[in-house]
Amino acid sequence: MNTKDKIMDVALHMFSERGYEAVSIRDICGSVGIKESTLYYHFKNKKDILDSLVNKFKDHIDGLLSHISEIPEKPSKKLKKSDVAASKLIDTYMMDSYLFDPFCNLMIRLMMIEQFHNDEIRVLYEKTLFTDPYNIYMNVFRRLSSQGVFPEEQVESIVRRYHAYMTMLTFKHLLNGDLTDKRKKAYAKEVHELMCGTLI
Amino acid sequence: MNTKDKIMDVALHMFSERGYEAVSIRDICGSVGIKESTLYYHFKNKKDILDSLVNKFKDHIDGLLSHISEIPEKPSKKLKKSDVAASKLIDTYMMDSYLFDPFCNLMIRLMMIEQFHNDEIRVLYEKTLFTDPYNIYMNVFRRLSSQGVFPEEQVESIVRRYHAYMTMLTFKHLLNGDLTDKRKKAYAKEVHELMCGTLI
Amino acid sequence: MNTKDKIMDVALHMFSERGYEAVSIRDICGSVGIKESTLYYHFKNKKDILDSLVNKFKDHIDGLLSHISEIPEKPSKKLKKSDVAASKLIDTYMMDSYLFDPFCNLMIRLMMIEQFHNDEIRVLYEKTLFTDPYNIYMNVFRRLSSQGVFPEEQVESIVRRYHAYMTMLTFKHLLNGDLTDKRKKAYAKEVHELMCGTLI
Amino acid sequence: MNTKDKIMDVALHMFSERGYEAVSIRDICGSVGIKESTLYYHFKNKKDILDSLVNKFKDHIDGLLSHISEIPEKPSKKLKKSDVAASKLIDTYMMDSYLFDPFCNLMIRLMMIEQFHNDEIRVLYEKTLFTDPYNIYMNVFRRLSSQGVFPEEQVESIVRRYHAYMTMLTFKHLLNGDLTDKRKKAYAKEVHELMCGTLI
DNA sequence: TATGAATGAGGTTTCATTCAT
DNA sequence: CATGAATGAAACCTCATTCAT
């Protein structure tokens, strides 16, 4: 990893744990192992580090979203509730590539803290934690509905419920402390159980 | 309002908007209209202001909770879904006296920001946003169940759903910008609608 | 002298010798004997020190100018060239109270350096070194003319010449190094001689 | 123009506008379109740029002066005052080749600012703005005197006056803002008028 | 010739805090 | 109760410069 990437990596870890304001340039440089003046060779100022992280995240998200819309869900013959709950698309994209992805996970925490100080981040936060997931769930459950799993008219209420659960569990499990395998498993388990217990 | 209360009031507004670290003693004193040195007559240090707010909030919450457990829900003869959704206890305590209460609302925002920097606040945040409400809902829906509104065995899944909705809508509606009447109405409306549409 | 005045005094000496940019807050504080943070109790920022000096100078100049316009020159019976050259008003106001005054002298040097970086100072510099003196000389020589010393129509060309000499000698004698008695005498002598040699 | 010359050109413009200290290597390189490290291939350090400019100016001045002393003024039969005031030598050398020459003009401004921080520059400044012009005027007016235009004994006082006017007008017209044609014409006009109005 | 990367020194400013009055 | 004055520590950032490539 080159110096610039190292700085972004360290900054992301620190910002997502203590917040942008509470992390000093000294802290970052100390951890990266460079002098403060060196940092300013790579970034215009402190804000520029944050902006770079945000832009990297935006690109990352755009990549994921365009990926999702391309890949069609294979029509399965007989879906059990547990299949639905664990819909591969959701497992793969929402969890593996997003909530569980180390970079995204830290960015979400960072956005959660910084939404209160930074308008651009608030908008991004609302998009990536509320609007985008909602649309993805709609997309997924509509497909499932078209495969006869639910009547069309239930899709929306199911999606709302699903979304509410995912959101609450995300806040509960994924946004503080390290993202350990244990946490991830607990989260996935609770998502699936909740859904199986309440679907339809 | 005396000086000490004014300081706490101003500090709460600023902390809940910009975060504890980002607010300076100067900012607070400037807004209160006193010199920095004066503040130290009323508070030991900056942390002491935050602690005082936290303690005031704890007392406030304790008062609310003990109140709730005392007041029994009047048995109504025939409950419609909409009555359940708008259960008076929940409206009165969760909304009017808690989420919509100016002091509590700002404290929740403050805790939301500071949970990441402050262990005591994280614990309090989890208690007041997740554990306590969950218990209150359980309490309420058990009573309703004992009045024959739901079968006993559905209570838990209903509570989970209710809790998930309330949590998500709280994050969506009540934690940024001013707590206007418009916002409050939108929130209350969405809570009731969601519940009516999905209860049972 | 209180701390604020000490800071202004030291700053003026340093600014007028090395220029505003080249003088650091550290330099000033080191010389005054205070910590940098103390300086910021008395001044908002570095620019504020310069502005305070400029404002003090403006007030000083305004005082001088209003004084001059009030005091009438006593009509003397027989004026020799040397009397004219050494017109009391000019000696007293232009030299003693302005060019030779330690505060003004340093301010002129300061303005001379800073006219190139600072628009407000450029304007003030042109006013106090060109416009104001020209008007004062006009005022003085008109009075002398009305006392029959020169024909009215020569006043303007005499004033131009006087002004040019004073300006050149000012640049030559008074704007670098300490303002010693020796320098002041050399300046006064050269002014008087030049004028006696060329008047009329 | 090669890189070294470009650097000197840009540096001169910036130094003469903002002063040596206030201009950074970054500023210069940014404007030239090279990296800071590249500058150090052409110059030992920042001071070396200033020194190079000063030396180039010294050479330039030496060339002018030696030129002047070689070229004799053509004896004209009948000189009017206006011819004297606009003496070709002065117009050509003092104005066209010196005060109006873009390089010299900027160097004079630079020296004017830097005389206060740099002893070598102070000496050069006094020589090129006071001593040299005085000697040139003496030279010119002595020649005119030997052509019978003035009596020998008036030469010195005329030169003093001329010098004072030129100096004052130089400070007034030529040392801030761009050296536009308008400015140059205004300056030349004022010089000639002043002289015609007061010669002899 | 030119550059990418790094650095030590120093710049201005803000911060929470203290203490005598 | 309140303030004026001071301070040490630390914040962000810029500077001229170096050196391997």
Side-chain angles (χ1 to χ4, degrees), chain B residues 72-76 147:
Chain B
E73 177 99 342
K74 290 264 175 64
S76 344
Q147 289 163 35

Side-chain angles (χ1 to χ4, degrees), chain C residues 139-157:
Chain C
N139 193 314
V140 168
F141 284 95
R142 279 230 184 84
R143 293 187 202 190
L144 293 172
S145 154
S146 72
Q147 289 163 35
V149 183
F150 327 102
E152 172 87 47
E153 66 269 21
Q154 280 183 15
V155 168
E156 207 178 311
S157 89

Side-chain angles (χ1 to χ4, degrees), chain B residues 81-97:
Chain B
K81 271 186 186 178
S82 61
D83 296 328
V84 172
S87 161
K88 200 130 192 268
L89 260 179
I90 289 175
D91 273 9
T92 308
Y93 292 96
M94 281 307 295
M95 297 194 196
D96 295 345
S97 307

Side-chain angles (χ1 to χ4, degrees), chain C residues 35-96:
Chain C
K35 301 292 162 188
E36 282 107 306
S37 44
T38 302
L39 186 143
Y40 284 88
Y41 175 75
H42 298 283
F43 295 92
K44 218 168 75 246
N45 51 34
K46 191 184 175 187
K47 180 79 183 344
D48 190 27
I49 307 174
L50 183 59
D51 291 340
S52 301
L53 286 170
V54 166
N55 289 329
K56 185 178 166 189
F57 180 68
K58 281 179 175 170
D59 291 346
H60 190 99
I61 288 297
D62 286 350
L64 278 185
L65 289 182
S66 64
H67 224 236
I68 281 182
S69 57
E70 283 165 14
I71 299 173
E73 177 97 342
K74 289 266 176 61
S76 344
K77 280 138 215 176
K78 292 193 178 174
L79 285 165
K80 285 180 296 176
K81 272 186 187 177
S82 61
D83 296 328
V84 172
S87 162
K88 199 128 195 271
L89 261 178
I90 290 175
D91 271 11
T92 308
Y93 291 96
M94 281 308 296
M95 295 191 196
D96 295 347

Side-chain angles (χ1 to χ4, degrees), chain D residues 55-70:
Chain D
N55 289 329
K56 185 177 166 189
F57 179 68
K58 280 179 176 169
D59 291 347
H60 190 100
I61 288 297
D62 287 350
L64 276 186
L65 289 182
S66 64
H67 224 234
I68 281 181
S69 56
E70 282 166 12

